[in-house]
């Protein structure tokens, strides 16, 4: 089969389409013909040599896909050849074929295209885990979502809104309209505004119950400042740096704050299965009637993968960047 190969770690132009062995499904696995995949920050980090795949995972880039079942392995009875499916992956999405554990597959809802389906798994499962499993989001919670126009950010806005919470976001000003259209009740320009001051104004000093953050060190002290009592910071990445200086434990204790960190790619199979199946049961039906929707910034033919990666690394996208795999 063909797949995106990284000839050497570094710049986007080091990615090419080349021949690799076609994977075969083992017991409880399914081989899927990939129609579309989507970009995630982890892909750009892995390409540069900073984020190796978990042990046993495919070294091919790509953490999600949508496609059609081609072959079911031993013990698989729930999926048949021709079924339209999509899934979270630990790797392997930038390819014509991928093997997935049967319990990680979800049926693509009626009316949803392959392009749309490929833009859902990584960001919506990450946002669902952050808000529901870690954040304990409730009706009327104030929720601050940093990088609100990112893939996970756009998913988190919608999930917070559907939970009856009040989503507020930070993003550059040109991306605010996208966030407001999804349900953000307040938008903050991180380039020109102090988000801690704005949150104090927006909430009349009450603060937020949940902060979902991808930036890390530069935002840490302000994240603590904006928390309401018993608030939670959900740290999902450290794009701005990972070392925080002069941390005051007293400031955290004064808020009875919780700092919760998480990754998803290296979680156990059982964890991912539970998360996927809960999401499929509780959330996936809302995509059918349009209550939730993937936000797609742009679509590229997978042969133009280098251009797609440049767009993400330049922070030009608002929402997901999708690759259509033509075979």
């Amino acid at each position: 089969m063909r797949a995106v190969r990284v000839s050497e770690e570094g710049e986007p132009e080091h990615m090419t389409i080349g021949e690799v062995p076609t994977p075969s499904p083992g017991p409880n696995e399914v081989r899927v013909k990939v129609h579309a995949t989507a970009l995630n920050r982890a892909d750009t980090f892995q390409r540069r040599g900073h984020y190796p795949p978990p042990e046993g995972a495919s070294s091919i880039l790509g953490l999600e896909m949508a496609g059609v079942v081609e072959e079911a392995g031993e013990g698989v009875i729930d999926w048949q050849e021709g079924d339209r499916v999509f899934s979270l992956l630990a790797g392997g999405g930038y390819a014509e074929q991928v093997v997935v554990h049967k319990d990680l597959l979800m049926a693509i809802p009626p009316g949803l295209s392959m392009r749309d389906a490929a833009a859902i798994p990584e960001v919506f499962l990450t946002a669902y885990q952050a808000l529901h499993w870690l954040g304990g989001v409730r009706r009327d919670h104030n929720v601050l979502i940093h990088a609100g126009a990112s893939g996970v950010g756009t998913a988190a806005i919608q999930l917070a809104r559907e939970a009856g919470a009040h989503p507020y976001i930070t993003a550059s000003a040109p991306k605010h309209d996208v966030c407001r259209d999804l349900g953000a009740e307040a938008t903050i320009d991180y380039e020109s505004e102090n988000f801690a001051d704005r949150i104090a104004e927006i909430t009349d000093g009450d603060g937020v119950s949940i902060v979902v953050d991808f930036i890390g060190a530069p935002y840490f002290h302000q994240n603590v400042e904006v928390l309401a009592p018993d608030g939670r910071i959900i740290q999902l990445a450290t794009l701005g740096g990972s070392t925080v200086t002069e941390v005051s434990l007293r400031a955290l204790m004064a808020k009875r704050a919780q700092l919760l960190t998480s990754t998803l790619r290296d979680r156990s199979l059982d964890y991912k299965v539970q998360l996927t199946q809960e999401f499929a049961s509780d959330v996936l039906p809302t995509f059918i009637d349009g209550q939730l929707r993937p936000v797609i910034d742009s679509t590229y033919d997978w042969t133009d993968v280098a251009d797609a990666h440049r767009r993400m690394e330049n922070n030009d996208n608002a929402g997901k960047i999708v690759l259509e795999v033509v075979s």
Side-chain angles (χ1 to χ4, degrees), residues 142 168 197-207:
N142 294 327
Y168 315 128
D197 291 343
R198 288 282 286 117
I199 289 296
E201 295 171 6
I202 294 164
T203 66
D204 292 326
D206 290 340

Side-chain angles (χ1 to χ4, degrees), residues 206-222:
D206 290 340
V208 299
S209 297
I210 302 170
V211 176
V212 179
D213 184 39
F214 313 88
I215 308 304
Y219 282 7
F220 179 80
H221 294 296
Q222 286 177 286

Side-chain angles (χ1 to χ4, degrees), residues 60 65 85 88 106 158 164 191 195 215 218 220 228 257 259 271:
I60 297 170
M65 68 84 205
V85 295
L88 181 73
M106 295 179 281
Q158 296 179 76
E191 296 177 323
F195 74 80
I215 308 304
F220 179 80
L259 172 61
Y271 184 97

